[in-house]
Amino acid sequence: MSAAPAHKPIVHFVGSIPLPDAETVLRTLAAAAGPHLKRLPDGETGIRKTWIRFLQQVLADNPAIEVASDVPPFKFTQWDGKLLREIPRLRVKPGARLDPATIKTGYADMAIESFRLFDHLQQEGAINGGVKFQISLPTPIAPTYNNMVPTDRPALIPALTTHMLGEVAAIAQALPNERIALQWDVCQEVIAWEGYYEPGPVDFRKETISELIAIGNGVPAAIELGYHLCYGSPADEHVIQPKDAGIMVEIVNAVSAGVRRSIQFFHLPVPKPRTDDSYFAPLAGLKLHPETELYLGLVHRDDTAGNAARLAAAQRHVRVDGVATECGMARGDPACCSQRTRRPPNWADGLLEDDVSLTNTTSEKADLFAGSASRFYRLSNNGL
């Protein structure tokens, strides 16, 4: 277990926020989480509210891709068997070759536009000067596993990788690298390791690690780099309930060993029922570099006692540098996502003092930190 960091505990926002536009997101989160922010996302409003769902049409419109009408759609289910939706399968047209230049996702343009707003608000003083703009991007595997027939994955992943790294290059060229952070969203890879998808021509694990290393190395060194690991949350519930954190530890360790540049953070989810040591025990095997922080998505709405228990259990096995929710917050029950923007008075009053280390596992300090995190979650899901 590495030494404790010298900064305040971090409140990490994964990506999507249930607010109408980027300016409302940035102003609200900056006011609410203030000194406990290192990075701020734009909330993934608009077309990205459902994360990568819009990419189904982007791919279907590509001249080299067609709907595989003779193949049953993919049944997207959550952990209890509930069918969330059926996704038509796509394939590469016979004899066609996917040209990365024909893939248009718009991620770079959206990031550049949001940064201009972020920069304006930071100059205005609405966002603290040291906070960086966080750009959250899906991995090339994400839309591939969801949308393509398994046999055609090797045809799409390289083209999407070239495209996504081109988007990163465009972002890096247009924006001041020292003021931005890039988070790769890793979901389909994690649940694939749990057996969620049909096997394809390439082993899931080999494909995952190779891809996550490649896209990590593709981020310029001056830009902060992080990975958000996920078990999916299309309806505010995981598509798979993990036995423990073991698979995520395997992925994190392999990526940490393979990426040549520094990695600033990893975010790992914690399901609401898991306050037991057995879930967190694998975290003791994390092999993070000294500069890499660990954020746990252990904050759940209206569960102050559970948040405290999850934090205390985690700290028995690993240093926790910050907290978050399990995933983005914009895709669940709208009734839990009021869009009022009034900041509750004195919201930050209960946050940890500067000199309180997260390595201290006393119940009093765990209660204090988890309690503040719970207020953050209620703010983001109920109180905005």
Side-chain angles (χ1 to χ4, degrees):
M1 196 179 292
S2 57
H7 57 69
K8 296 178 179 181
I10 301 304
V11 171
H12 182 70
F13 291 97
V14 173
S16 67
I17 302 294
L19 288 170
D21 55 66
E23 180 170 359
T24 306
V25 170
L26 293 169
R27 286 188 182 277
T28 302
L29 300 189
H36 292 267
L37 288 175
K38 270 195 166 183
R39 308 165 193 93
L40 264 183
D42 67 359
E44 299 179 12
T45 58
I47 196 172
R48 291 170 294 150
K49 181 178 179 180
T50 52
W51 191 42
I52 60 170
R53 193 167 179 174
F54 78 98
L55 293 181
Q56 169 82 10
Q57 195 60 48
V58 169
L59 295 177
D61 289 342
N62 190 281
I65 292 177
E66 65 183 10
V67 176
S69 55
D70 58 331
V71 176
F74 177 66
K75 294 184 181 298
F76 196 39
T77 60
Q78 66 181 27
W79 65 274
D80 58 359
K82 178 182 178 182
L83 178 64
L84 302 172
R85 68 179 183 273
E86 294 188 346
I87 304 175
R89 284 298 176 85
L90 305 174
R91 64 157 60 100
V92 178
K93 293 178 180 177
R97 184 185 68 85
L98 267 167
D99 181 356
T102 65
I103 300 174
K104 307 293 183 183
T105 63
Y107 281 111
D109 290 342
M110 288 184 281
I112 292 166
E113 180 182 359
S114 289
F115 178 82
R116 293 192 184 111
L117 174 61
F118 173 90
D119 180 54
H120 170 74
L121 295 177
Q122 200 161 49
Q123 291 187 44
E124 177 188 290
I127 299 172
N128 289 345
V131 175
K132 299 194 177 191
F133 179 61
Q134 178 181 310
I135 301 161
S136 302
L137 297 178
T139 70
I141 284 177
T144 303
Y145 282 12
N146 265 15
N147 299 306
M148 297 295 285
V149 296
T151 54
D152 283 15
R153 290 172 189 159
L156 179 58
I157 290 176
L160 270 177
T161 300
T162 299
H163 167 74
M164 293 303 293
L165 289 180
E167 296 294 275
V168 171
I171 290 167
Q173 183 175 12
L175 303 182
N177 289 198
E178 72 281 359
R179 294 180 60 196
I180 60 177
L182 192 142
Q183 173 185 281
W184 289 112
D185 293 337
V186 184
C187 175
Q188 276 64 30
E189 297 86 343
V190 177
I191 61 177
W193 281 35
E194 292 274 11
Y196 190 76
Y197 295 104
E198 315 100 308
V202 181
D203 176 73
F204 285 130
R205 298 187 176 213
K206 179 180 179 181
E207 195 164 57
T208 289
I209 299 308
S210 174
E211 191 64 27
L212 296 184
I213 290 173
I215 60 178
N217 285 330
V219 178
I223 298 174
E224 286 196 337
L225 171 64
Y227 292 84
H228 152 55
L229 273 60
C230 184
Y231 272 81
S233 66
D236 265 355
E237 295 190 62
H238 286 326
V239 296
I240 288 178
Q241 294 292 357
K243 179 187 74 172
D244 56 34
I247 282 177
M248 293 185 289
V249 169
E250 290 183 58
I251 294 173
V252 168
N253 287 347
V255 172
S256 294
V259 173
R260 295 186 300 272
R261 53 148 294 162
S262 63
I263 300 172
Q264 276 61 52
F265 67 89
F266 284 95
H267 167 277
L268 310 182
V270 180
K272 188 174 183 178
R274 304 308 296 269
T275 60
D276 54 295
D277 280 282
S278 61
Y279 180 83
F280 298 97
L283 296 177
L286 280 172
K287 298 175 182 177
L288 301 178
H289 294 292
E291 72 275 10
T292 305
E293 296 177 337
L294 176 65
Y295 307 147
L296 293 185
L298 53 77
V299 179
H300 292 269
R301 180 168 46 90
D302 297 331
D303 190 23
T304 302
N307 294 335
R310 283 182 286 276
L311 179 60
Q315 289 176 316
R316 290 193 285 270
H317 302 280
V318 71
R319 187 195 79 212
V320 180
D321 300 310
V323 296
T325 53
E326 286 182 297
C327 192
M329 293 178 252
R331 293 179 296 277
D333 180 0
C336 296
C337 301
S338 169
Q339 294 186 347
R340 288 181 290 116
T341 58
R342 180 180 60 84
R343 180 190 179 192
N346 304 320
W347 175 79
D349 286 355
L351 288 168
L352 285 174
E353 298 298 330
D354 297 359
D355 60 345
V356 177
S357 168
L358 277 172
T359 57
N360 189 318
T361 59
T362 66
S363 59
E364 178 182 356
K365 289 174 182 175
D367 287 345
L368 179 60
F369 188 51
S372 67
S374 179
R375 287 190 292 277
F376 135 67
Y377 191 94
R378 289 198 301 272
L379 171 70
S380 299
N381 258 19
N382 281 345
L384 290 177

